[in-house]
Structure formats: structure tokens, C-alpha cells
Amino acid sequence: MVIGGDAAGMSAASQARRMKGPGELEIVAFERGHFTSYSACGIPYWVGGAVPDRDRLIARTPEEHRARDIGLRMRTEVTEIDLDRGRVRARDVDSGAESWTSYDHLVVATGARPVRPGIPGVDAPGVHGVQTLDDGQELLDTLARTRGRRAVVVGAGYIGVEMAEALIDRGYEVTVVDRAREPMSTLDPDMGRLVHEAMTGLGITMVGDAEVTGVRTGADGRVRAVATRDAEFPADVVVLGLGVRPETTLAEAAGLPLGAHGGLLTDRAMRVRGQENVWAGGDCVEVLDLVSGQERHIALGTHANKHGQVIGTNVGGGYATFPGVVGTAVSKVCDLEIARTGLREKDARRAGLRYVTATVESTSRAGYYPGASPMTVKMLAERRTGRLLGVQIVGREGAGKRVDVAAVALTAGMTVDAMTSLDLGYAPPFSPVWDPVLVAARKAAQEVRRAG
Amino acid sequence: MVIGGDAAGMSAASQARRMKGPGELEIVAFERGHFTSYSACGIPYWVGGAVPDRDRLIARTPEEHRARDIGLRMRTEVTEIDLDRGRVRARDVDSGAESWTSYDHLVVATGARPVRPGIPGVDAPGVHGVQTLDDGQELLDTLARTRGRRAVVVGAGYIGVEMAEALIDRGYEVTVVDRAREPMSTLDPDMGRLVHEAMTGLGITMVGDAEVTGVRTGADGRVRAVATRDAEFPADVVVLGLGVRPETTLAEAAGLPLGAHGGLLTDRAMRVRGQENVWAGGDCVEVLDLVSGQERHIALGTHANKHGQVIGTNVGGGYATFPGVVGTAVSKVCDLEIARTGLREKDARRAGLRYVTATVESTSRAGYYPGASPMTVKMLAERRTGRLLGVQIVGREGAGKRVDVAAVALTAGMTVDAMTSLDLGYAPPFSPVWDPVLVAARKAAQEVRRAG
């Protein structure tokens, strides 16, 4: 039995079905919404127009799941988990009818809920979240109706900057406000500063150090402006991009263990800690950060899919584990690419690690090759051991996915000195003779030696 | 004392100079040609017109080296190494004058020489190599003079396919002939087949299984056609792209140790084996393949630069090593990207390894995102252990540099099973939710389990 019909839940269901046929394993999945297996990460591109319609974001429809013998109950919300008796209570959203269903194995894949600031006016018409396909459709409807061309995005993290791009693509004047001084607080502030400058160059007004105090509405009740402590930003539409928290209301009520970030805690097989037959994955769990050794909450489709794959394999009688993450993320705003993996400076300090940093400028291709674009790579390495701790990259085309090299090196526990001899692909259209990541590794290795 | 003024030699000189000032270390470098520190890998793009002039390919001129207190003797060819007395004999190419110069440390960086087939007509006007800047200029001169628009490229390896692109860009009808059935013999034939098909789609005529028997000339003595055993291909210009061999004539005459591929053998510090004060790097050495455990010859600017860096550090009193390579290479033909790292099937067999293979189709971005392009990833893994052995990728934009993930995983000795949980960057403009390399790793891991 699966609670939640998106990435983690339906990956688990599909993988379990691959392992065991309908005669061996019955699979039931509950989804309270209208859609299954869709790419929430794709919503900004649908809103922006790069993806022409909603259905492209749906990897697998309820009908397709049912055709694979997965008993899907749509518009059905689970309201209680009864661990002792191995059953859940579910309510038909439309009729309100409730009933209990028993399980042998339970998969909790309840996802995340968007953070909504508790400020006046936040529920006014014209203020939108972008978590679900329904949210996306509502925002598109608002955009179609709105005459004005001023948009304010609250929050300058991944969702915020991606939505800034989407609104630019729709012809809006975009202002992004964030409590932090620089956008992309998943980067160190010095790298966030580069994003800030690039956003300005793209025509986006980035306002940092700005705590939103309220949403002002007009005589028609619709949004008119976003107010911060110091200023007011006129807005015809407002998008909330403040990130998400694990949706663990059900799990918590059932007494399942939550971590410091509010996510479910599992073992490496994605079994909920202390449970025999309850599994959890996706945006509702915490994951082990392999670099810091601490638990984190990261809502990302790629992790959810991997969790589902692991759960489905284990429930299907196989064996698989999810060892953890190194915290890789990549994003873009128009032609600006932003990537990070591992620890920021403050993460390293929090984990009790002493470190050195190195920041270098390089290019995506050989300097003489057309389209070579500049990028900045910042690298953190542990003092003494020289172990790689983290990498942040800000650049243009060809910058973002370079972070993958660092992600693998982090997973392998490589030192920055060892990284300097990595045999990365070289040809003038693809890289300078020293790949930017290697240039950063060389400088970081020097800093490690210097710091002693 | 450095023999050879290109990547390895001048990197060594520059790094040694960084380590020690002119008062502590005298540096002399001999170069028989007109140029220093240039990108031979960039020649196809200069010939094709993407790089507008030759000087862009020169990273550092003789004057720039001299400004850093490197005593550079241009147009000066070393004709003998006298190891016993620690000196070399050099000849001024223009005047013919010879003299001996003593060294404390010798760096052999004599590079590689292009393979020229011993067939009739190969020296005819209109037949060109593309190893040096002078070669490139001569080819450009020929192209400027030639009325006909038919070009034949002999050899379908990296240089061959890159030159095919260059000639296409110059408006030629291009035929590539190769002895092997499929182009890019650095790939397995099944992946080479995909390159073949893509080349055909690009309007390049690829003729495999074709051994060139001679170059036919016209009444004017210029090239007219390339003859194979079975056919004749009309040609107004012919480019030889048959790869290179280590240039070790001098080293061999001096009694320095050569490996099975004709390259100098060094230790990890890039010191020539059995020598105290003789170092070697770049295209004239063999390198350890970390996957097969055997020596290989790979002529590639990125390795040459690393070797030079290591040599310069060691000669300058520091400590550095070059541990070896995993055989990463990346190339493109128009919009086709081709990449490989590690072992091909025949390499694995030759190394005594039992392996499984997995080939998957995926896309460069989320399927719904504009510009998502298909790619094929082939992965080899060792039986039983599941250790990654090699990866080959053929695709379009965004395919080539994905090989770097595999290069790092190979270096770290990862299993394909461990690779399936790698935390690679995901966002719809950058990758499907399962990166193509992860899709291949999943399938390879299944094959490992199946093979037992």
C-alpha cells in the first residue's frame, strides 16, 4: 500500500510490480489529487511557456499505472495510519466516504508542502504557489487574466529564480525579494553575489535583506503590492517560492520517527526506523548527507525516484539501498547556470570541519573556441586531509553539469590533490585544456598545503 | 633543460620557474619549429573557420616565455642526448651550426609524429597532415587555391572526424575512408556504427573496410583521387588523419627505455625509468592505464599539460605525481558528440577481464524540455565485482561531457551498483530525472547480477 501518487510512491509501486506479478503482490496506491507521477520541477517551464502543455509533465497517468496492475485510488486522501492493526483510513475527497484498508507493507510517500509566510494578504487572489499542477494552472489562469505586467517573486531560492525566468519569458517585469542579502542561499554569499549581478544583467530586480511583511490588496481584493519592512513593490501577480517542508502530518500522528528537519527517518533500505513493514521516500523523508554525516531534508525529484526504486525493490523481495546524498543541485535563470554540491562554508563549520577555499575563473570551452563562456568555480577542501568538501559553480552554458564531477569525487571521498589528475574529457569545443574543476582543484590543493 | 617547446615542455618550464626564481634555477628550452605552447587540438577548428586565426591557438609566445626568464632557443633542433656527460647537442635549423649544452635536469618533451602511410603518391601536392600550425597553414593555403570541392579524409579517428567537420564547414563534399568497418575505433564497433549513421546524416560519406592503396595524381602532379583496394575516390584535397606515434628517435638513440607502443617509460613522478635527472612527458611517453593496469600511448594536450606541471614541480624542488589515465576522450563532428572512457570490449578481453555490457537510450534533458536530444550510453562492468570498466557515449548537445562522471567513477574504482545512487545534478533543462549515466549504471548492475 502506497500513500502518495507522485515520484517516490509510484516509482516504488512500479518497481515492486516489476519484481512481482499481480498473482504474487497486490498493490494499492492512494492519491488525493488529480494527477500521478508528474514533474513538479517542470512547472516553472510550463508556466514560462517552454513546455507547451501540462500533460507533457505527466510521466505516467493513472490509467497507465492501472494498466500495470497497480490499484490506484485517485482523489482519495489517507486520514490516518493505524500501525498496530496494519491499516489506513482513507476518505474519498469528493463523496467524503471513509473506509479502512489493510496492508502488509506500507509506503509513505506524502511529499512536501510549500512554506507559506504567515503574513496579511497572503491568501489574496493573485498570490500563487507553484507546488502542484493545479497551482501551475491557477497561476497561468491569473497571468492570462492580468493586464498589468509587474510580478514579484517572494524567495530567491531555486523555485524563486526559476519562476523569475518563467515570468520574464511571459513578458513581466520581475522583482525577486528575499530575506537574505544574496539570492540562492544554497550557495555561499560570495557566489550568491555573482548570481545577483547576473540576475540584474538579465533585467530582474533582485532585492535582498528584505523581509516581506505583508501583501497589499486593492479595492477589488486582488494583490496590489508586496510590502517589506522598508519598501513596497507594486505587483500584479505574486509567486511564492519559499521552499517546502516535509508533509509528515499523518506519519507524525501515527508516531513514526521524525528528524530535526521534520522529515521521516529511515534506514538505508528506506525502511522507517524502528518499523518492520513501513517504508518512506521522497520529499517527506530526511536523507543522510555523506559529507557532513548529518541528516538533511532535500526535496528533489531525482532523489524521490531513487527512493521509490529502492523501496520497490525491497518490498518486491530484492535488496537495494540508498546510501545518501552529497547535496547536488543545479538550476538556471535564463542563460545563467548555477550549481552546487557538498558543503557551503557554514555547513562545514556546523559539521565541525576546518577548511580552505579556492575560487577560480575559467571558461566552458577552450578560450579560442566560439561560445567559450566564463564561469566561476569555488571549492572547499578540508584542512590537513585535503578531502573535497564542496563545489559551487556560477556560469553560462556548459557550467552547471560540471558539478557532477565534484559530486562523484565527494562520494568517493577524494582529495583535491587527487582531483588535479582526474582524466576529464578534453577537446576545444568541450573544455579548456585544464577543465575548470581541475583548475579549482589545483588551487584548493595549494591552499591545503599552505594552511598546513 | 627542456627539449620541445609545446605543452609538456613549456608547462614544465613555466611550473619550474614558478617554483624557483631565475637566481635559483636556469631554464633553457629548445624548439625546432616556429611556435611554442600552441593547441594542436585546435587546428581543425582553425581550418574549419570557427577559430578565425592561427595566433588564437598560441597560448604563450616565445617572447612571453622569455619574459618569464625561460631561455628559449627557437628553430633549434636537438640532435643528440649524451646522458653520460649530461649534455645535448643542438643544431640551429637555419644556420646549421651545432653546439653542446650541459644540463643538470633534462626534460624530454619531443611530442609525437603523425603516421604517414607508405603508399604511392602520399607526398603529392594537395595531401596534408594536420599535426602542426605549419601543416594547418599549408592546408588552408591549398583550400584557398583549390577550385574543386571534393575532400577525402584518410582515417576516421578523432582527427579524421574533426577534419571532416572542418571541411564540411568550408563547403566541401567530404568522404572519410578507414580500414576499419566503423569510424572511431576508440569506440566499440556497435557504438562506432551510431557515429557512422550520424555522419551519413550530416552529409559525410563514410567508407569503412577500405584500405588505402595509393594517392592518384593528375597531369599537374597534384592529388586527383584516393585509391583503395576496391574503389577510387575523387579528391581535390586529401587530409591524413591516421593518428600519431611517440617521437622518441633521440631518446631511443640515447638508450632511454621505450615501451611496447614506442613511448618513453617513466615513473609516477614523470622521471624516465632508471634515470636520476631525466624527465619526460606529453605525447612522447606512455602512461599507465589505471583500469587495465597496462601502459598506453595517448597523445592529448590535457595529459601533456599535467605531465609538464608534475615535472616542473619536481624539478623545482616540490613533489607531484601523475598517477595515470582512464582513457577519457571527447570529440564532436558538427552537432554529434562522441565520448569514451575506460576499456572497450576488446581492451577488457586483452586485460583478461570478464565483463558485461549495457546499452541504453536516454536524453540530454527532461524529455519535455526544449532541446532534449537523444543519446546512447554503453557501459562495461566487470563480472562478479561489478566494477565499472568503461563508458561510451554518442549523442548530440550535452552528451559528450557526461563521460566525466564515468571517468571519476573509474578513477575511484566504483561499482556500477554504487553508481546508481550517485547524486548527480538534476533539473529539467540539464537532465532527465535519471541521468543517462545512471540509467546505464542501473542496467549494467542488473546485467552483473544476472551474469552472477
Side-chain angles (χ1 to χ4, degrees):
Chain A
M1 175 180 299
V2 176
I3 309 177
D6 203 0
M10 299 319 289
S11 289
S14 302
Q15 176 65 5
R17 178 54 76 228
R18 261 177 235 120
M19 307 280 296
K20 288 199 168 165
E24 300 171 293
L25 182 71
E26 186 191 353
I27 303 177
V28 177
F30 296 98
E31 166 55 45
R32 66 180 174 189
H34 296 92
F35 307 100
T36 52
S37 303
Y38 65 91
S39 171
C41 337
I43 292 173
Y45 309 103
W46 167 42
V47 172
V51 176
D53 68 85
R54 187 195 68 196
D55 290 353
R56 304 270 180 110
L57 301 183
I58 298 173
R60 213 169 268 176
T61 63
E63 293 66 38
E64 288 169 320
H65 284 298
R66 289 188 183 115
R68 292 162 190 242
D69 292 302
I70 294 168
L72 196 54
R73 306 221 198 135
M74 297 301 294
R75 301 281 289 155
T76 308
E77 183 168 18
V78 173
T79 53
E80 186 181 347
I81 301 171
D82 178 351
L83 293 174
D84 292 338
R85 300 179 62 178
R87 58 181 194 163
V88 305
R89 187 169 60 188
R91 186 171 63 85
D92 183 294
V93 173
D94 299 316
S95 72
E98 293 209 344
S99 64
W100 288 94
T101 314
S102 299
Y103 61 79
D104 295 312
H105 285 276
L106 178 68
V107 179
V108 181
T110 44
R113 61 169 182 276
V115 172
R116 282 184 83 85
I119 51 170
V122 73
D123 296 319
V127 180
H128 292 271
V130 283
Q131 170 77 356
T132 64
L133 292 180
D134 288 334
D135 291 343
Q137 190 59 59
E138 285 168 20
L139 173 55
L140 279 167
D141 293 346
T142 289
L143 297 183
R145 275 196 308 266
T146 303
R147 286 239 192 83
R149 276 284 169 265
R150 292 163 307 180
V152 173
V153 177
V154 180
Y158 288 109
I159 301 172
V161 301
E162 288 168 2
M163 286 310 302
E165 173 181 348
L167 291 161
I168 286 273
D169 288 349
R170 289 281 178 195
Y172 283 77
E173 284 173 38
V174 179
T175 300
V176 181
V177 297
D178 198 287
R179 174 186 303 215
R181 174 165 303 214
E182 305 297 351
M184 297 304 290
S185 60
T186 51
L187 306 180
D188 285 322
D190 53 343
M191 296 297 281
R193 180 77 213 162
L194 301 179
V195 177
H196 190 144
E197 289 162 7
M199 286 170 72
T200 305
L202 292 165
I204 298 166
T205 304
M206 171 68 213
V207 181
D209 279 332
E211 195 171 333
V212 173
T213 52
V215 174
R216 304 276 183 266
T217 50
D220 59 355
R222 290 186 46 79
V223 61
R224 180 178 60 75
V226 170
T228 65
R229 208 172 292 285
D230 308 316
E232 227 180 75
F233 301 94
D236 303 301
V237 61
V238 173
V239 174
L240 301 175
L242 291 166
V244 296
R245 297 270 182 277
E247 175 52 271
T248 48
T249 315
L250 269 183
E252 189 174 17
L256 292 174
L258 303 185
H261 308 282
L264 277 157
L265 296 175
T266 72
D267 64 14
R268 292 210 167 184
M270 302 310 294
R271 188 187 263 114
V272 174
R273 289 192 199 162
Q275 300 293 314
E276 270 301 308
N277 60 344
V278 183
W279 311 76
D283 293 358
C284 66
V285 304
E286 296 189 7
V287 290
L288 178 64
D289 183 314
L290 297 169
V291 190
S292 70
Q294 299 175 0
E295 310 286 334
R296 298 177 57 179
H297 177 245
I298 301 177
L300 204 54
T302 187
H303 299 327
N305 272 278
K306 286 179 186 132
H307 297 166
Q309 180 84 11
V310 165
I311 294 169
T313 300
N314 290 325
V315 171
Y319 172 63
T321 59
F322 182 81
V325 304
V326 292
T328 311
V330 59
S331 188
K332 78 179 200 54
V333 197
C334 305
D335 70 342
L336 182 73
E337 298 189 0
I338 307 159
R340 53 96 64 219
T341 189
L343 308 184
R344 294 166 299 181
E345 295 197 40
K346 72 176 174 189
D347 302 320
R349 285 193 295 269
R350 203 177 284 155
L353 296 165
R354 301 277 290 275
Y355 61 90
V356 298
T357 70
T359 302
V360 302
E361 308 284 331
S362 184
T363 54
S364 57
R365 309 174 182 206
Y368 55 79
Y369 193 87
S373 60
M375 75 177 77
T376 305
V377 182
K378 177 174 181 174
M379 192 172 277
L380 271 72
E382 191 180 14
R383 271 188 65 173
R384 298 282 292 278
T385 69
R387 184 170 61 109
L388 178 68
L389 294 179
V391 166
Q392 296 162 44
I393 305 177
V394 175
R396 306 279 162 163
E397 185 260 312
K401 277 293 261 180
R402 275 188 156 86
V403 81
D404 285 350
V405 162
V408 185
L410 277 172
T411 306
M414 272 188 193
T415 65
V416 288
D417 198 64
M419 287 179 73
T420 61
S421 10
L422 281 172
D423 186 2
L424 304 185
Y426 163 63
F430 295 94
S431 175
V433 71
W434 289 92
D435 189 279
V437 175
L438 302 188
V439 177
R442 272 169 63 182
K443 185 161 181 205
Q446 280 168 15
E447 295 299 330
V448 169
R449 288 192 294 275
R450 187 169 304 168
Chain B
M1 177 180 298
V2 176
I3 310 178
D6 203 0
M10 298 320 289
S11 288
S14 302
Q15 177 64 7
R17 178 54 75 227
R18 261 177 237 121
M19 306 281 296
K20 287 200 166 162
E24 300 171 294
L25 182 71
E26 186 191 352
I27 304 176
V28 178
F30 296 98
E31 167 55 47
R32 67 180 173 189
H34 296 92
F35 307 101
T36 53
S37 303
Y38 66 90
S39 172
C41 336
I43 293 173
Y45 309 103
W46 168 40
V47 171
V51 176
D53 68 84
R54 187 195 67 194
D55 290 352
R56 303 269 181 112
L57 301 183
I58 299 173
R60 211 168 270 176
T61 63
E63 293 64 39
E64 288 170 318
H65 283 299
R66 288 189 184 117
R68 290 161 191 243
D69 292 302
I70 293 167
L72 196 55
R73 305 218 199 138
M74 298 301 293
R75 301 281 291 155
T76 307
E77 182 168 18
V78 172
T79 53
E80 187 181 345
I81 301 171
D82 178 351
L83 293 174
D84 291 336
R85 300 179 62 179
R87 58 181 194 163
V88 305
R89 188 169 59 188
R91 188 172 62 85
D92 183 293
V93 173
D94 299 314
S95 72
E98 294 208 341
S99 63
W100 287 95
T101 313
S102 299
Y103 62 79
D104 295 311
H105 286 277
L106 178 66
V107 179
V108 181
T110 43
R113 59 168 183 274
V115 172
R116 282 185 82 84
I119 50 169
V122 74
D123 296 319
V127 180
H128 292 270
V130 283
Q131 171 77 356
T132 64
L133 291 181
D134 289 334
D135 292 343
Q137 190 58 59
E138 285 167 19
L139 172 56
L140 278 167
D141 293 345
T142 289
L143 297 183
R145 274 197 308 267
T146 303
R147 288 238 191 84
R149 277 284 169 264
R150 294 163 307 181
V152 173
V153 177
V154 180
Y158 288 108
I159 301 172
V161 301
E162 287 168 2
M163 286 310 303
E165 173 180 349
L167 291 161
I168 288 272
D169 287 350
R170 289 280 178 194
Y172 282 77
E173 286 173 36
V174 179
T175 301
V176 181
V177 296
D178 198 287
R179 174 188 303 217
R181 174 165 304 214
E182 304 298 351
M184 297 304 292
S185 61
T186 50
L187 305 180
D188 285 323
D190 52 343
M191 295 297 281
R193 180 79 211 158
L194 301 180
V195 176
H196 190 145
E197 288 161 6
M199 285 170 72
T200 305
L202 292 165
I204 298 166
T205 304
M206 171 67 212
V207 183
D209 279 332
E211 195 171 330
V212 173
T213 52
V215 173
R216 303 276 183 265
T217 50
D220 58 356
R222 290 185 48 79
V223 61
R224 180 178 61 73
V226 169
T228 65
R229 208 173 292 285
D230 308 316
E232 228 180 74
F233 301 93
D236 302 302
V237 61
V238 173
V239 173
L240 301 176
L242 291 166
V244 296
R245 296 271 182 277
E247 175 52 271
T248 48
T249 315
L250 268 182
E252 189 174 16
L256 293 174
L258 302 185
H261 308 283
L264 277 157
L265 297 175
T266 73
D267 64 14
R268 292 209 166 185
M270 302 309 293
R271 188 186 263 116
V272 174
R273 288 191 200 163
Q275 300 293 314
E276 270 302 306
N277 61 343
V278 184
W279 312 76
D283 293 359
C284 66
V285 304
E286 296 189 7
V287 289
L288 178 64
D289 183 315
L290 297 169
V291 190
S292 70
Q294 298 174 1
E295 309 286 335
R296 298 177 57 180
H297 177 243
I298 301 176
L300 204 54
T302 188
H303 299 328
N305 271 279
K306 286 180 186 129
H307 297 167
Q309 180 86 10
V310 166
I311 294 170
T313 300
N314 290 326
V315 170
Y319 172 63
T321 59
F322 182 82
V325 303
V326 293
T328 312
V330 59
S331 190
K332 80 180 199 52
V333 197
C334 305
D335 70 341
L336 181 73
E337 298 189 0
I338 307 158
R340 53 96 65 218
T341 189
L343 308 183
R344 294 165 299 181
E345 294 198 40
K346 72 175 175 188
D347 302 320
R349 286 194 295 270
R350 203 176 285 156
L353 297 165
R354 302 276 290 273
Y355 61 89
V356 299
T357 70
T359 302
V360 302
E361 308 284 331
S362 183
T363 54
S364 56
R365 309 173 182 207
Y368 56 77
Y369 193 87
S373 60
M375 76 177 79
T376 306
V377 181
K378 176 174 180 174
M379 192 173 277
L380 272 71
E382 192 180 12
R383 272 189 64 173
R384 298 282 293 278
T385 69
R387 183 170 62 109
L388 177 68
L389 293 180
V391 166
Q392 296 161 45
I393 305 176
V394 175
R396 306 277 162 165
E397 187 260 312
K401 277 293 261 180
R402 275 187 155 85
V403 81
D404 285 350
V405 162
V408 185
L410 278 172
T411 306
M414 273 188 191
T415 65
V416 289
D417 199 64
M419 286 178 74
T420 60
S421 8
L422 281 172
D423 185 2
L424 303 185
Y426 163 64
F430 295 95
S431 175
V433 72
W434 289 92
D435 189 279
V437 174
L438 301 188
V439 177
R442 273 169 64 183
K443 186 161 180 206
Q446 281 168 15
E447 295 299 330
V448 169
R449 287 193 293 275
R450 187 169 304 167

